[in-house]
Amino acid sequence: MNVKLIQGSYTPQETVELLHHLIHVKIRFNEDKISQSCSEEDIKMREERIKVLQHELAAVKQRLKNRIDRVELTSTIEIN
């Protein structure tokens, strides 16, 4: 099963806003799991994932900072 989450053309500002919200949902999910976890290994893995997500969001913001043309976005969630 596939869930088409995003498909369309967005301004650079809309793209950053949309990705900001999506990434922060995933960060909050990991933060909630950290607060519930007893495993140090799981906590470290989730903390690292949060850092990667934050880095990727910063990279997107930097890349789109001076862009004026629209951005095509497509995102599908595949459920196996």
Side-chain angles (χ1 to χ4, degrees):
M1 175 182 183
N2 290 325
V3 178
K4 189 160 281 203
L5 190 61
I6 302 170
Q7 183 173 1
S9 176
Y10 302 89
T11 67
Q13 296 81 13
E14 290 171 331
T15 301
V16 168
E17 182 181 356
L18 181 56
L19 293 175
H20 173 85
H21 288 295
L22 291 170
I23 289 171
H24 276 276
V25 166
K26 183 62 178 178
I27 288 172
R28 281 194 306 272
F29 175 82
N30 278 302
E31 289 171 340
D32 290 345
K33 291 296 182 183
I34 287 171
S35 68
Q36 299 169 9
S37 180
C38 297
S39 164
E40 189 169 329
E41 181 180 321
D42 185 52
I43 290 170
K44 286 182 181 181
M45 181 270 305
R46 290 183 186 282
E47 287 174 339
E48 183 58 34
R49 183 64 184 136
I50 289 170
K51 288 177 189 175
V52 168
L53 288 166
Q54 290 169 331
H55 175 74
E56 289 175 344
L57 180 57
V60 166
K61 286 180 179 180
Q62 183 62 34
R63 185 170 181 181
L64 297 177
K65 187 167 124 178
N66 296 318
R67 186 168 171 166
I68 56 172
D69 54 325
R70 295 183 73 81
V71 179
E72 294 294 325
L73 290 180
T74 304
S75 174
T76 302
I77 297 173
E78 184 177 328
I79 302 169
N80 295 316

